[in-house]
Amino acid sequence: MKKSFYNLPLDVASLAITKSFFANNPRKHGIQTNWITFEDQGMTSDTMMDLFANRIPVVRQHGFLSSVECERMLEVLKTHKMYLHNVQQARSLQVRWKDEAGIDILDRVATMIQEVTNITTRVAREGDREYFAGIVRAADAGIAIHADWAPYETPAWSVGNLVGQLTWNILLNPVPGGETIIYDRQWNAPDDDLAWRKAIQADTYHKKMLEGRPFKVMMAVPGDLTFFNPRNFHEVLPCDTSKKHPIAPIRFTVSSFIGYIPSEGSEPDTLVLWS
């Protein structure tokens, strides 16, 4: 019996029609894009600035957390009761990660960003109060198309004064699927909201808005530190399921936003983190 892939024999290629039945082959057309490459880029000062400027779609630091570190963080996470009433309670998981797993995740991320960009990096503040940064998401479904841009969403807050915004993400566990799709199309309010925001699912947009737009598939790799520009419309695909595996696995991630605050007076350019 011949080997097969799914329900197709391996020699199926020999059955393919290599020449078009129709006289004229389709013409090839170019698609305009702001991105100079679709490949993941390593983390450097230049690539981080390119990401702020929407010249590239993704920066990836491979192996930022080892598989052992991811496992230790997951062990703590699965025994932790979530608190979201205030910043101190929300930080309780990060305190446990530091004490029990030996990983100060927010400090490690902020330190690397500052070392690479040579720009002061800290948690965002509102007056003398710090924001929370480093939200954990546990999801077995996808996230619909949306965009994030603090000057639109929180113009009265200190982060509303930023001139550029990124997001960093770390996946803690291996999952089938769960890719992030990033579109080369940035949010422009209120026009996009008036034209494309859905009436029933008011937190997302109609996909026809993105018709013909280039996109980047950001693969979900545990332990990698990834960055993209969240003003670009993006979505997260659900984890894969099948008849044999009908229940979607839970996808655990930790992330925050990064805002570029330009210098003012004696204050230098600053990168601020918040969730």
Side-chain angles (χ1 to χ4, degrees):
M1 183 176 179
K2 290 184 178 181
K3 292 182 179 179
S4 64
F5 173 75
Y6 192 51
N7 62 343
L8 300 176
L10 290 180
D11 57 357
V12 70
S14 64
L15 305 176
I17 299 174
T18 57
K19 188 175 181 180
S20 174
F21 172 82
F22 302 97
N24 296 321
N25 289 324
R27 293 182 180 180
K28 293 183 178 180
H29 301 276
I31 296 178
Q32 290 188 336
T33 176
N34 293 297
W35 298 334
I36 58 177
T37 180
F38 284 79
E39 298 297 321
D40 291 359
Q41 298 298 298
M43 191 178 178
T44 69
S45 178
D46 287 342
T47 57
M48 294 295 281
M49 293 305 107
D50 282 343
L51 202 57
F52 274 116
N54 193 36
R55 288 191 287 264
I56 59 174
V58 170
V59 167
R60 184 185 295 267
Q61 183 72 16
H62 293 283
F64 181 75
L65 292 177
S66 69
S67 59
V68 172
E69 288 177 316
C70 288
E71 289 171 6
R72 291 208 302 260
M73 290 176 69
L74 278 170
E75 288 174 3
V76 174
L77 174 59
K78 290 177 179 179
T79 63
H80 189 76
K81 185 176 181 180
M82 295 296 183
Y83 295 97
L84 298 175
H85 299 297
N86 56 53
V87 170
Q88 185 175 359
Q89 289 181 341
R91 286 177 178 158
S92 60
L93 175 59
Q94 292 179 21
V95 171
R96 287 192 61 194
W97 276 340
K98 184 178 179 180
D99 293 343
E100 299 174 37
I103 301 166
D104 189 339
I105 189 64
L106 190 62
D107 180 72
R108 189 188 291 195
V109 171
T111 297
M112 172 158 278
I113 293 171
Q114 181 164 312
E115 288 177 351
V116 168
T117 63
N118 201 30
I119 299 174
T120 299
T121 303
R122 59 170 173 79
V123 175
R125 293 192 292 262
E126 199 73 35
D128 59 353
R129 295 183 299 169
E130 277 194 344
Y131 284 65
F132 172 72
I135 191 169
V136 171
R137 290 186 175 89
D140 59 359
I143 300 174
I145 292 171
H146 68 288
D148 305 286
W149 180 233
Y152 288 162
E153 298 171 288
T154 55
W157 298 4
S158 64
V159 293
N161 296 319
L162 58 80
V163 296
Q165 185 170 335
L166 304 181
T167 182
W168 63 267
N169 291 266
I170 303 173
L171 174 68
L172 297 179
N173 60 314
V175 293
E179 300 90 349
T180 300
I181 312 298
I182 304 155
Y183 296 91
D184 187 10
R185 167 75 153 79
Q186 293 202 319
W187 181 16
N188 290 299
D191 294 350
D192 288 336
D193 302 87
L194 294 171
W196 301 111
R197 194 179 281 273
K198 289 187 175 182
I200 296 177
Q201 293 177 304
D203 59 344
T204 187
Y205 296 79
H206 201 290
K207 284 192 174 184
K208 190 168 179 61
M209 174 186 67
L210 302 167
E211 195 170 67
R213 294 284 179 164
F215 63 89
K216 164 70 177 177
V217 180
M218 188 174 78
M219 302 301 290
V221 180
D224 283 3
L225 174 63
T226 56
F227 302 84
F228 68 91
N229 190 320
R231 187 176 176 179
N232 289 63
F233 286 100
H234 54 281
E235 61 181 315
V236 180
L237 301 183
C239 295
D240 296 339
T241 58
S242 66
K243 288 183 179 179
K244 188 176 181 180
H245 303 282
I247 300 175
I250 297 176
R251 181 178 186 269
F252 293 98
T253 59
V254 56
S255 66
S256 86
F257 293 122
I258 309 167
Y260 194 119
I261 306 293
S263 61
E264 183 176 3
S266 61
E267 292 292 323
D269 288 355
T270 305
L271 300 177
V272 297
L273 310 180
W274 83 100
S275 294

